[in-house]
Amino acid sequence: MYTKNLVNPCPDWATALLNGFSQVLLQRDPLCGLCCLLAILLTAPQLIGGALLGALAGLLTAQRRGYPRADRQAGLYSYNGVLLGVLLSHFLPWSALLAPLIIAASGLSSMLVHQWLKRGGAAQLLPAYTSPFVLISWVVLAIIEPASAGGAAVDASPLQALARGLGQIFLLDKPLAGLLIALGLILANRYAAAWALLGAALGGSVALMGGEATAAYMGLYGFNAALAALAFSQTRGQPWKPLLAIVLAIAVQPLFNLLPIPGLTAPFIVACWLVRAGFVKPVKAGA
């Protein structure tokens, strides 16, 4: 995740929350975060409460435990909470138990991120990415045993499939969500946006050629490849890194599809860890 300095007129708490949304896309940009928030609000309003609650729970946990302010403002303790809030709101109806579950899960994700950062530092070999979200979600989903998604018909449009490939990063299947997320990426970093679109396009194309037409048009093979591309989009002098990450994310996804629960962003994490483990040298202490 990234921590570049930005000047903006937002209050600190608003900046931190919006950055939490943008950090899901490995960006630190409040406008990008606002576009992501709008994507949820306009296409799946039933999930926005969970997303905001998860982001706030992660942020307040970090604040209460005295975690570094710069990392809190960068959204590093909120982005897993955003995804947890969206996922739990998606699979569970709102009840007296859902809000405490989101708060607990998001708070735990914040503590896991802190331990990861504490042991690895800013130049860690294997970043946490969305691993706290994946691990906590797998535990919860294994307990509640969510029903498999139905085979609903989708518009077989390549452009809509491309948009869904970005929207599925936030578990959103409406093309409008993908368009808003793409807009946020363009506002934050046009080069990164181009890589994300390429990743989503390649993922969907491979799925289509492999006979997974419904999954391809739903964007289910695009979002991990898009995230993998975003993770290495800053390496402008080494374009083979995001390309390799895309290929690996697409290659390992079928393995996670064998799980009885959704693989979520695990293919993206594994692909990025493989690239970094193979080509990124660890920084020695005191270097």
Side-chain angles (χ1 to χ4, degrees), residues 97-175:
L97 294 177
L98 180 57
L101 179 59
I102 292 175
I103 293 171
S106 301
L108 177 59
S109 75
S110 182
M111 289 185 278
L112 291 175
V113 168
H114 177 67
Q115 291 302 316
W116 209 297
L117 292 173
K118 183 179 177 181
R119 283 162 173 71
Q124 58 190 314
L125 177 61
L126 300 179
Y129 295 124
T130 53
S131 55
F133 156 66
V134 171
L135 293 174
I136 295 171
S137 296
W138 279 351
V139 172
V140 174
L141 293 178
I143 295 173
I144 67 174
E145 297 181 355
S148 300
V154 295
D155 191 333
S157 162
L159 289 178
Q160 292 196 16
L162 180 62
R164 289 191 183 99
L166 294 181
Q168 288 286 1
I169 294 173
F170 288 88
L171 280 77
L172 305 173
D173 60 5
K174 299 292 190 297

Side-chain angles (χ1 to χ4, degrees), residues 2-285:
Y2 304 117
T3 58
K4 68 178 181 179
N5 292 322
L6 291 175
V7 176
N8 66 81
C10 295
D12 283 354
W13 63 268
T15 300
L17 287 179
L18 291 177
N19 282 338
F21 280 83
S22 69
Q23 285 285 7
V24 174
L25 304 174
L26 294 97
Q27 308 297 313
R28 179 185 175 178
D29 189 292
L31 284 178
C32 177
L34 179 60
C35 288
C36 296
L37 190 153
L38 289 174
I40 302 172
L41 177 63
L42 296 179
T43 65
Q46 72 278 11
L47 306 181
I48 192 63
L52 288 170
L53 182 59
L56 187 61
L59 177 61
L60 291 179
T61 297
Q63 182 176 338
R64 185 174 182 83
R65 298 179 71 86
Y67 297 161
R69 183 179 183 278
D71 290 343
R72 300 200 308 264
Q73 287 301 112
L76 298 184
Y77 294 111
S78 303
Y79 68 95
N80 282 287
V82 170
L83 292 174
L84 284 165
V86 168
L87 180 134
L88 293 175
S89 299
H90 176 77
F91 283 112
L92 296 172
W94 274 99
S95 67
L97 294 177
L98 180 57
L101 179 59
I102 292 175
I103 293 171
S106 301
L108 177 59
S109 75
S110 182
M111 289 185 278
L112 291 175
V113 168
H114 177 67
Q115 291 302 316
W116 209 297
L117 292 173
K118 183 179 177 181
R119 283 162 173 71
Q124 58 190 314
L125 177 61
L126 300 179
Y129 295 124
T130 53
S131 55
F133 156 66
V134 171
L135 293 174
I136 295 171
S137 296
W138 279 351
V139 172
V140 174
L141 293 178
I143 295 173
I144 67 174
E145 297 181 355
S148 300
V154 295
D155 191 333
S157 162
L159 289 178
Q160 292 196 16
L162 180 62
R164 289 191 183 99
L166 294 181
Q168 288 286 1
I169 294 173
F170 288 88
L171 280 77
L172 305 173
D173 60 5
K174 299 292 190 297
L176 176 60
L179 291 176
L180 288 169
I181 291 169
L183 174 60
L185 281 170
I186 291 171
L187 292 173
N189 187 325
R190 286 178 291 178
Y191 188 74
W195 273 112
L197 289 168
L198 177 61
L202 290 177
S205 298
V206 170
L208 194 59
M209 290 187 292
E212 298 282 351
T214 300
Y217 287 121
M218 284 296 293
L220 298 179
Y221 273 83
F223 70 96
N224 276 294
L227 284 171
L230 283 169
F232 293 96
S233 62
Q234 78 278 13
T235 58
R236 297 199 177 201
Q238 298 172 308
W240 56 268
K241 282 188 177 180
L243 280 174
L244 178 59
I246 291 171
V247 171
L248 289 173
I250 296 171
V252 302
Q253 180 154 342
L255 299 177
F256 288 98
N257 290 345
L258 299 175
L259 295 175
I261 53 179
L264 305 174
T265 56
F268 143 66
I269 298 167
V270 170
C272 292
W273 282 353
L274 287 173
V275 174
R276 292 185 65 88
F279 299 101
V280 179
K281 295 180 180 179
V283 177
K284 295 181 180 180

